[in-house]
Amino acid sequence: DTEVTQTPKHLVMGMTNKKSLKCEQHMGHRAMYWYKQKAKKPPELMFVYSYEKLSINESVPSRFSPECPNSSLLNLHLHALQPEDSALYLCASSQTAYNEQFFGPGTRLTVL
Amino acid sequence: AQKVTQAQTEISVVEKEDVTLDCVYETRDTTYYLFWYKQPPSGELVFLIRRNSFDEQNEISGRYSWNFQKSTSSFNFTITASQVVDSAVYFCALRLMDTGRRALTFGSGTRLQVQP
């Protein structure tokens, strides 16, 4: 199994909703990442987990809350989002934080 | 701070043409990694290659080749005999080897359109 999976593929939510994005990998990777990508822009790093501990938080607003329940799973909890948070959210994993990252297909999020 | 520049915003070629995507990077660190990723319309970023700053050997993989030149801080990517399936946005990225700074710095991307 050499892939990173993400669910859901698409998500539409209101500004008062609470939702979660899920990411899973079964490659034994110990580093996992969340990126946000706006249209026609490169991905921007949000969070890095290394060995299930949060190691980088790129000054992301608290309405985004990451969680790493185990070495294969990474969640992103969303609450009280703004329309400008609409974007493609990409999850990635790497063997360690020094290795190349493999990306999932992303969740396309629309906030109304 | 690090910076990656992909000056070509969009390139359009006809199938079977060769095409080179340019990447120029800036960093004061002497140890770093360089990457190329492909992002087709489906959205997933596909890893293509990683080079480290110690290794300036060029690499060829099928129709893809990469030219790394530290003297000009460039890491260019050439597709030989392009195909319609090569149509995608291509990102060049840099990451420092310093343990405290592991984030990828992406260029702005080059959109490649291969016409049949």
Side-chain angles (χ1 to χ4, degrees), chain A residues 47-87:
Chain A
F47 303 103
V48 180
Y49 273 83
S50 183
Y51 291 86
E52 297 151 61
K53 286 187 168 30
L54 183 64
S55 63
I56 295 179
N57 175 342
E58 292 285 347
S59 304
V60 179
S62 59
R63 58 186 184 268
F64 294 92
S65 174
E67 179 198 18
C68 190
N70 60 56
S71 59
S72 301
L73 278 175
L74 185 66
N75 298 320
L76 186 63
H77 303 297
L78 315 172
H79 174 54
L81 295 193
Q82 305 295 312
E84 59 265 28
D85 296 321
S86 299

Side-chain angles (χ1 to χ4, degrees), chain B residues 12-26:
Chain B
S12 184
V13 300
V14 176
E15 215 171 10
K16 298 185 183 173
E17 281 185 34
D18 298 349
V19 57
T20 295
L21 309 183
D22 297 333
C23 173
V24 174
Y25 62 92
E26 294 174 33

Side-chain angles (χ1 to χ4, degrees), chain A residues 35 37 40-43 45 48 50 55-56 58 88 90 97-105 108, chain B residues 33 35 37 39 41-45 47 50 91 95 97-100 102-104 106-108 111:
Chain A
Y35 286 84
Q37 187 178 23
K40 300 194 176 184
K41 296 287 187 184
L45 182 67
V48 180
S50 183
S55 63
I56 295 179
E58 292 285 347
L88 180 68
L90 292 160
Y98 300 99
N99 299 96
E100 56 272 19
Q101 296 172 27
F102 294 89
F103 285 78
R108 200 163 292 280
Chain B
Y33 295 106
F35 303 82
Y37 283 89
Q39 189 171 37
S42 58
E44 181 173 350
L45 275 158
F47 165 75
R50 179 186 80 169
F91 289 99
R95 198 186 78 225
M97 289 191 193
D98 185 307
T99 55
R102 294 188 295 267
L104 276 170
F106 284 93
S108 54
R111 181 176 299 276

Side-chain angles (χ1 to χ4, degrees), chain B residues 30-56:
Chain B
T30 56
T31 56
Y32 49 86
Y33 295 106
L34 293 165
F35 303 82
W36 275 96
Y37 283 89
K38 172 184 180 180
Q39 189 171 37
S42 58
E44 181 173 350
L45 275 158
V46 178
F47 165 75
L48 296 177
I49 190 171
R50 179 186 80 169
R51 304 299 286 172
N52 69 50
S53 51
F54 310 131
D55 184 1
E56 280 192 77

